[in-house]
């Protein structure tokens, strides 16, 4: 008898993420299959969107990664109102490259970027100026901001019965298994990302799903390409 749509296999994950580890594939298949209905990952359509978003964030590795902010001064001014209003600080905080070799003379000051731009976003606390940097995007789906790190920790015991990870004190835990996949599942459910997938238009819904994930169209082309891959796998 063929597997029902809600059941995923490590072999499918290998197809979608060819550079992933055997162990990670087995952990992810186990975690998703155990709670597919609870986390709204119980249809092939939802799984396609879920794993397409993960591939858009992690590429073919399928492992938690920490967001990097090594931006040029020009990039800082493009996406940040703060840096447009303070262009001298963009020059100070952005990276500096050798005009001849193209090598870095100085990397961006990511802590400063966190304080000046990202501190205002993603449920970070006004009283904690390092929240923007400390709670950068991490995990398989790049959960970002104090609100999400704390929310995952506070809600963890509703879904899992092992020790609750302190992802506020130790945010790097979000990159480690099983928390990398569990945090992605929590994000998918708690922020109702699945509702955009449930429209039922498949590829045409990737833009709406992406907007729910990151608030815009960042990496949309990667996510669209990943969705087309997922259609042949899940």
């Amino acid at each position: 008898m063929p597997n029902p749509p809600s059941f995923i296999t490590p072999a499918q994950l290998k197809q979608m993420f060819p550079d992933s580890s055997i162990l990670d594939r087995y952990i992810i298949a186990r975690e998703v299959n155990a709670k597919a209905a609870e986390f709204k990952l119980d249809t092939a359509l939802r799984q396609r969107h879920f794993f397409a978003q993960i591939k858009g964030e992690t590429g073919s590795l399928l492992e938690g990664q920490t967001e990097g902010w090594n931006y040029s001064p020009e990039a800082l001014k493009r996406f940040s109102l703060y840096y447009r209003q303070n262009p001298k600080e963009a020059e100070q905080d952005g990276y500096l490259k050798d005009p001849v070799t193209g090598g870095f003379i100085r990397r961006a000051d990511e802590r400063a970027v966190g304080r000046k731009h990202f501190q205002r976003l993603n449920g970070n606390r006004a009283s904690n100026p390092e929240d923007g940097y400390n709670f950068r995007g991490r995990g398989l789906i790049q959960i970002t901001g104090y609100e999400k790190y704390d929310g995952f920790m506070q809600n963890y015991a509703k879904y899992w019965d092992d020790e609750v990870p302190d992802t506020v004190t130790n945010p790097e835990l979000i990159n480690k298994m099983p928390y990398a996949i569990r945090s992605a599942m929590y994000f998918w459910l708690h922020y109702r990302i699945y509702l955009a997938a449930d429209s039922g238009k498949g590829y045409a819904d990737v833009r709406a799903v992406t907007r729910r994930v990151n608030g815009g169209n960042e990496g949309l082309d990667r996510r669209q390409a990943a969705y087309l891959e997922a259609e042949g796998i899940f």
Side-chain angles (χ1 to χ4, degrees):
M1 178 179 293
N3 291 326
S6 61
F7 191 82
I8 66 167
T9 68
Q12 288 174 310
L13 295 174
K14 171 68 171 174
Q15 283 183 269
M16 188 81 181
F17 303 93
D19 297 318
S20 58
S21 75
I22 294 172
L23 179 59
D24 285 349
R25 293 195 296 271
Y26 272 88
I27 290 173
I28 289 168
R30 179 195 70 200
E31 294 289 335
V32 173
N33 290 332
K35 296 180 178 289
E38 186 176 8
F39 281 92
K40 308 295 185 184
L41 289 166
D42 52 344
T43 70
L45 185 63
R46 288 170 171 175
Q47 291 167 2
R48 290 167 188 164
H49 281 289
F50 180 70
F51 286 109
Q53 290 296 317
I54 287 176
K55 187 158 189 177
E57 298 284 4
T58 70
S60 61
L61 286 172
L62 192 59
E63 61 183 28
Q65 299 177 19
T66 301
E67 181 180 19
W69 296 336
N70 190 34
Y71 294 118
S72 68
E74 292 73 23
L76 289 174
K77 287 179 281 190
R78 271 198 306 274
F79 72 73
S80 172
L81 175 62
Y82 178 89
Y83 281 112
R84 286 196 296 276
Q85 293 175 338
N86 299 276
K88 289 184 179 178
E89 292 184 47
E91 296 299 326
Q92 170 187 306
D93 297 342
Y95 67 62
L96 180 64
K97 283 188 172 182
D98 186 307
V100 177
T101 66
F104 285 108
I105 297 172
R106 180 195 69 220
R107 297 182 67 83
D109 185 341
E110 297 188 25
R111 284 191 177 275
V113 174
R115 288 193 302 271
K116 296 174 184 180
H117 176 73
F118 290 100
Q119 175 62 23
R120 297 163 172 76
L121 308 174
N122 303 312
N124 289 321
R125 300 165 293 182
S127 59
N128 291 67
E130 294 301 314
D131 275 7
Y133 179 80
N134 290 339
F135 302 113
R136 290 167 289 165
R138 288 185 178 87
L140 294 180
I141 213 161
Q142 293 283 280
I143 69 166
T144 307
Y146 171 81
E147 175 187 282
K148 296 180 181 68
Y149 280 74
D150 183 63
F152 176 60
M153 183 174 72
Q154 298 300 330
N155 288 283
Y156 189 89
K158 295 179 183 178
Y159 307 110
W160 299 282
D161 57 10
D162 57 322
E163 184 178 353
V164 176
D166 187 348
T167 49
V168 169
T169 300
N170 187 6
E172 277 295 324
L173 286 173
I174 293 289
N175 280 337
K176 302 181 184 302
M177 292 295 179
Y179 311 122
I181 184 60
R182 289 180 177 180
S183 63
M185 293 164 63
Y186 163 78
F187 179 77
W188 177 263
L189 177 69
H190 187 77
Y191 292 92
R192 300 183 177 186
I193 312 301
Y194 63 88
L195 291 177
D198 284 352
S199 169
K201 299 173 186 175
Y203 178 84
D205 285 329
V206 176
R207 184 183 295 272
V209 175
T210 300
R211 193 173 297 119
R212 279 183 173 260
V213 169
N214 64 27
N217 293 319
E218 191 278 325
L220 178 61
D221 55 344
R222 299 193 306 273
R223 299 164 203 266
Q224 289 173 326
Y227 182 85
L228 292 177
E229 276 189 82
E231 282 190 323
I233 296 171
F234 301 103

